[in-house]
Amino acid sequence: MSKGTRLHPAAIFFNFIKVLRESIFALVLGFITFKGDSFFYFILVASILLLMLLVYSALSWYRYTYRIEDEELRIEYGIFIRKKRFISKNRIQSIDLTAGIIHRIFKLTKVQIETAGTGTGAEASLKAVKTAEGERLRTELKAAKIPTVNSIEEAPKTDHPSAKITFKCLFIAGSTSGGIGVIFALLAFVFSEVEQFIPERFYDNTIEWVVGLSILFLIGLIIIFLILGWVLGIAGTVIKYGNFTITKNYDELFITRGLLEKKQLTIPLKRVQAVGIQESIIRQPLGYVTVFAEVAGGSMDKGEDFSTVLFPIMKKDEVVDFLEKFLPTHAAGAKDITPLPKRARKFYLLRSVLPMLIIAGGIVYFLPQFSWVPIVLVAGSLYLGFLRHNAGGYQLDGDRLMIRYRVLNKITMIMYHKRIQAFEKSQHMVHRSQKLASMQISIIGKFGVGKHYKLRELEEKDVDYLSDWYSYRS
């Protein structure tokens, strides 16, 4: 492939939309600010600027070419100043394909290429190529890392394990996602921003009308909002994780997901720093968990969360088989976990209940008619503290460490000694008198940012033992 290839002409539209999105605030401000005769001139200037942006997008597309030559991806771009970027195949860590709604209409895909040095943005991003071309690029750029025919014949197992989420699991994931809380928080934020524009008389009349309603009507209204939030949570989960499929191909994992925007993520196994199992408060009684991985590097262009979901939801007793199939090194054995000492429980209860006592005092002072609320808050916080203490513990098996803790959801992290970047022991005066200590373990996470896991109030001798294990002290 010696001749440079241009992106699909749809890239002009994507470039234009990107620049327009960055300028949307100024355009909206202009529509609000300018009135009368000045509004006509604003429209004229805005139209000229939009035309210039469209021309700029077209020229950027025309001057952007790529080709594969001498084991490198070579990209040339720039309208007035020509820039060249050479990316060696050996430096490429992952190649992700993403197809939004417009991409899928025209059978296009976006190719994002990441290397070990990738930061906030991808090393290279081909915004619009034909889907077949994107697949061909990924195959050709990763060809050097696929085992040869001889090595495949010698391997004891050559199949590529795969798992796909069922609609039943997808529905359960949406129903128990807790997205309703996010929706209500978003609505509360929007209301707080819009409230200043609401006339005071209208606001007061609305409050009086709501207060005058019957209790049954208010309960019915709340139930309707809860059902609406529940439905929206299911819809959001189905859209995000629809057709979720994970496939292992030699030393990489391929994840495909999304109904409206189809994403194909590539995860090199050597970049997996830790594997996590999350049990939310809602899903734990039902026996369902989420399996995720902490992957080093990556870029914000992926649009992913700070942890990469390996499977959105599965039964807890299926996790070991899942890990044996896709990440056998992280499949934790049946060895018992070392729990937190019983004398540590008071620390967990105190930390959990103290903030609620302050909130409860404020409610009793300012809203005495709701004096029953503090009782519920304090009881709930005490129960949460009890759960946090019961969940805590660790398991050490050779070079593999598993720690378990709870903030709101119960998290189990499985990692190897060579992936741990730092180990910290901390103690205060009360800890020393009780022969307790806390530890913090750090690994590399997304975007090169550190991920920290803290386990509080362990036996002091256990923390010292783990510290010696990390430091290779006998």
Side-chain angles (χ1 to χ4, degrees):
M1 188 173 175
S2 58
K3 185 179 179 181
T5 303
R6 291 190 178 89
L7 303 178
H8 190 276
I12 299 173
F13 172 77
F14 294 121
N15 286 332
F16 178 71
I17 291 298
K18 179 183 177 182
V19 178
L20 185 62
R21 188 171 59 242
E22 294 171 352
S23 310
I24 193 67
F25 179 76
L27 293 174
V28 172
L29 185 64
F31 272 103
I32 297 174
T33 305
F34 291 98
K35 304 291 181 183
D37 294 338
S38 59
F39 184 73
F40 169 78
Y41 293 106
F42 166 74
I43 292 296
L44 182 62
V45 172
S47 301
I48 294 173
L49 288 176
L50 289 176
L51 181 61
M52 291 175 64
L53 290 176
L54 186 60
V55 172
Y56 171 80
S57 300
L59 289 175
S60 297
W61 165 79
Y62 183 79
R63 299 281 284 171
Y64 191 106
T65 60
Y66 67 90
R67 68 184 188 275
I68 298 176
E69 188 175 300
D70 295 334
E71 299 298 309
E72 291 179 327
L73 173 64
R74 300 184 176 183
I75 299 174
E76 297 185 20
Y77 59 100
I79 298 176
F80 301 109
I81 301 175
R82 295 293 287 168
K83 298 179 181 179
K84 297 181 180 181
R85 177 175 292 179
F86 297 163
I87 305 173
S88 172
K89 285 184 179 181
N90 295 326
R91 289 184 57 231
I92 294 175
Q93 297 288 331
S94 65
I95 303 172
D96 301 329
L97 305 182
T98 305
I101 298 176
I102 299 176
H103 283 95
R104 298 178 73 175
I105 291 174
F106 295 100
K107 296 182 179 179
L108 304 175
T109 189
K110 177 181 179 181
V111 182
Q112 290 175 273
I113 299 166
E114 295 183 356
T115 64
T118 298
T120 56
E123 185 74 19
S125 181
L126 309 181
K127 295 181 179 178
V129 298
K130 285 290 186 180
T131 302
E133 171 69 0
E135 296 283 358
R136 188 194 66 79
L137 282 171
R138 183 165 67 175
T139 301
E140 189 167 349
L141 290 174
K142 301 294 285 185
K145 299 188 178 184
I146 295 176
T148 61
V149 175
N150 291 334
S151 63
I152 293 175
E153 290 176 353
E154 294 171 1
K157 192 174 182 180
T158 58
D159 60 325
H160 305 306
S162 180
K164 185 174 182 179
I165 194 168
T166 62
F167 181 78
K168 176 186 174 182
C169 287
L170 202 57
F171 180 81
I172 295 173
S175 302
T176 58
S177 64
I180 184 171
V182 177
I183 293 169
F184 284 149
L186 182 61
L187 290 175
F189 172 76
V190 172
F191 178 76
S192 65
E193 296 297 318
V194 175
E195 183 183 8
Q196 56 185 320
F197 300 106
I198 299 176
E200 188 174 346
R201 176 182 291 181
F202 176 80
Y203 184 78
D204 293 339
N205 291 340
T206 303
I207 294 295
E208 291 178 6
W209 175 74
V210 171
V211 172
L213 293 174
S214 66
I215 297 297
L216 290 177
F217 183 83
L218 286 175
I219 293 175
L221 199 62
I222 291 171
I223 291 174
I224 290 173
F225 273 107
L226 289 174
I227 293 174
L228 179 62
W230 177 66
V231 171
L232 291 176
I234 294 174
T237 302
V238 171
I239 290 172
K240 183 176 182 179
Y241 292 115
N243 296 324
F244 188 100
T245 305
I246 179 171
T247 304
K248 183 179 180 181
N249 186 15
Y250 303 110
D251 58 349
E252 293 178 324
L253 296 177
F254 295 102
I255 294 177
T256 303
R257 66 167 177 83
L259 290 183
L260 297 182
E261 183 181 40
K262 184 179 180 182
K263 289 179 175 286
Q264 297 182 34
L265 308 178
T266 304
I267 304 173
L269 295 181
K270 64 182 179 181
R271 290 176 67 180
V272 175
Q273 305 298 300
V275 172
I277 303 164
Q278 177 181 285
E279 302 173 64
S280 70
I281 278 205
I282 301 174
R283 293 176 182 172
Q284 188 176 349
L286 302 175
Y288 286 97
V289 302
T290 298
V291 182
F292 64 93
E294 299 297 346
V295 183
S299 70
M300 293 183 179
D301 290 345
K302 276 179 180 264
E304 288 293 292
D305 301 326
F306 282 92
S307 299
T308 301
V309 174
L310 296 181
F311 212 81
I313 189 169
M314 67 172 59
K315 280 288 188 179
K316 187 177 179 179
D317 55 14
E318 297 173 347
V319 173
V320 174
D321 291 339
F322 175 84
L323 292 178
E324 286 285 0
K325 187 184 295 184
F326 295 98
L327 283 160
T329 55
H330 288 78
K335 189 178 178 181
D336 292 336
I337 192 167
T338 303
L340 300 178
K342 290 183 179 180
R343 63 184 184 279
R345 182 172 296 164
K346 54 182 174 288
F347 295 98
Y348 281 82
L349 295 176
L350 183 62
R351 269 195 305 269
S352 182
V353 79
L354 190 58
M356 288 304 169
L357 287 175
I358 298 172
I359 296 173
I363 293 175
V364 170
Y365 183 80
F366 292 105
L367 300 169
Q369 66 272 27
F370 294 105
S371 56
W372 56 270
V373 174
I375 299 174
V376 176
L377 291 178
V378 171
S381 61
L382 284 172
Y383 181 62
L384 182 59
F386 179 80
L387 290 178
R388 287 173 177 170
H389 175 263
N390 277 2
Y394 76 93
Q395 178 194 106
L396 188 61
D397 186 10
D399 285 342
R400 185 177 63 198
L401 174 65
M402 182 178 77
I403 62 171
R404 194 173 67 192
Y405 64 95
R406 180 193 290 274
V407 179
L408 185 60
N409 302 324
K410 185 163 75 170
I411 306 292
T412 302
M413 298 302 304
I414 306 167
M415 64 197 77
Y416 273 82
H417 183 284
K418 63 182 179 180
R419 300 299 187 188
I420 300 174
Q421 300 296 312
F423 183 99
E424 180 182 328
K425 173 187 174 183
S426 59
Q427 264 183 319
H428 51 65
M429 188 182 300
V430 181
H431 277 166
R432 283 193 290 271
S433 66
Q434 297 279 312
K435 294 185 178 180
L436 299 173
S438 300
M439 70 172 184
Q440 179 174 284
I441 294 171
S442 303
I443 63 172
I444 298 176
K446 282 284 184 72
F447 323 132
V449 178
K451 297 280 290 189
H452 312 288
Y453 307 101
K454 192 163 189 175
L455 198 54
R456 299 174 184 268
E457 283 84 42
L458 285 156
E459 292 281 5
E460 183 179 10
K461 61 182 179 63
D462 287 346
V463 177
D464 290 336
Y465 174 69
L466 291 172
S467 176
D468 292 342
W469 167 80
Y470 174 70
S471 302
Y472 290 112
R473 292 192 296 262
S474 59

